[in-house]
Amino acid sequence: MTNRERRERELPYISDAEVFEEQKRTRRLNQALNQVDWSDFEAIKKIAKELLGKSEDVFIYPPFYCDYGTNIQVGKNFFANYNCTILDVAKVVIGDNCQLAPNVSIYTAGHPLHPDTRNTAYEYGIAVTIGDNVWVGGNTVICPGVHIGSNTVIGAGSVVTKDIPDWVVAAGNPCRVIRKITEDDRRLYFRDLEFDEEGWEDVQRILSDSKGK
């Protein structure tokens, strides 16, 4: 097998000339995205759509960094805030309505633990998956092979090394489940603070309109 084929099968591989050649397209698009007029939202959307393997109504605040882009698949209404890094040596699949706060890093790439093996230049990529309606807090690192369930919130500064289930708040280093998200959380916007009546009426209207589409 070629090293590219090995990489795509999540086997150890070496970044040889063929692999680096494949990355040239991505680097050009990364550079275009990061140097575009940051107030030109339509241009940002156009470049992001070309960069990613699959997307629908995606928006990324530059700067943004990735290895291939083609291995990143995001659902509807994806948003990544400033300084997001996705090392997509393997697949990164993200569901609908997901939000990444500033400085979020998603790593599928890794290296062998033992220095002798690591020094051979072999590396690997193991896929990361994130469900629907997930909010990942700022400065979070998501490590290779992790699955994050739907409707979950990852607290700022977390290092996610293991799978996280649906409908929970999880945080820490290493990231752990703190509690379930329940119906009691529906009207809250920060800790124990509730939406005011005007704001809550607007929330209800937005939800009603979205269900009617």
Side-chain angles (χ1 to χ4, degrees), residues 4-57:
R4 183 177 175 182
E5 290 169 337
R6 293 183 62 85
R7 183 198 69 209
E8 291 173 353
R9 298 186 187 190
E10 296 191 348
L11 294 171
Y13 76 99
I14 291 175
S15 288
D16 58 12
E18 182 184 17
V19 172
F20 278 123
E21 185 66 28
E22 189 181 5
Q23 291 181 359
K24 285 184 179 180
R25 167 194 171 273
T26 311
R27 296 184 182 213
R28 283 192 289 266
L29 287 170
N30 266 323
Q31 184 172 358
L33 178 62
N34 294 335
Q35 293 183 350
V36 73
D37 180 351
W38 287 14
S39 68
D40 191 342
F41 298 145
E42 290 306 313
I44 290 172
K45 282 187 174 183
K46 182 178 179 181
I47 297 169
K49 186 172 183 61
E50 185 179 357
L51 178 62
L52 303 185
K54 178 183 176 183
S55 65
E56 184 177 348
D57 193 24

Side-chain angles (χ1 to χ4, degrees), residues 21-202:
E21 185 66 28
E22 189 181 5
Q23 291 181 359
K24 285 184 179 180
R25 167 194 171 273
T26 311
R27 296 184 182 213
R28 283 192 289 266
L29 287 170
N30 266 323
Q31 184 172 358
L33 178 62
N34 294 335
Q35 293 183 350
V36 73
D37 180 351
W38 287 14
S39 68
D40 191 342
F41 298 145
E42 290 306 313
I44 290 172
K45 282 187 174 183
K46 182 178 179 181
I47 297 169
K49 186 172 183 61
E50 185 179 357
L51 178 62
L52 303 185
K54 178 183 176 183
S55 65
E56 184 177 348
D57 193 24
V58 60
F59 194 82
I60 295 171
Y61 278 169
F64 174 81
Y65 309 97
C66 64
D67 282 330
Y68 300 95
T70 51
N71 285 332
I72 302 171
Q73 299 181 10
V74 301
K76 295 180 290 186
N77 304 318
F78 172 77
F79 172 71
N81 215 319
Y82 303 110
N83 209 41
C84 178
T85 298
I86 301 179
L87 301 186
D88 58 320
V89 169
K91 291 287 186 183
V92 176
V93 180
I94 301 175
D96 294 340
N97 306 310
C98 289
Q99 300 172 314
L100 308 183
N103 301 307
V104 167
S105 296
I106 300 174
Y107 303 148
T108 67
H111 304 269
L113 287 179
H114 197 284
D116 288 348
T117 312
R118 189 167 61 249
N119 291 340
T120 63
Y122 268 96
E123 55 188 296
Y124 62 83
I126 307 294
V128 168
T129 58
I130 298 174
D132 297 332
N133 308 309
V134 173
W135 174 24
V136 180
N139 293 291
T140 290
V141 175
I142 299 172
C143 294
V146 163
H147 171 76
I148 297 175
S150 295
N151 307 303
T152 279
V153 174
I154 305 297
S158 295
V159 178
V160 190
T161 60
K162 296 182 179 179
D163 293 354
I164 303 295
D166 299 347
W167 285 101
V168 298
V169 176
N173 181 5
C175 188
R176 297 183 178 89
V177 173
I178 295 173
R179 67 175 181 86
K180 295 283 289 183
I181 296 173
T182 70
E183 190 64 24
D184 292 338
D185 295 299
R186 184 176 292 274
R187 189 160 174 168
L188 302 178
Y189 67 92
F190 178 69
R191 296 181 180 172
D192 60 350
L193 298 179
E194 292 188 352
F195 274 88
D196 60 284
E197 288 301 325
E198 180 182 6
W200 187 242
E201 286 179 7
D202 198 40

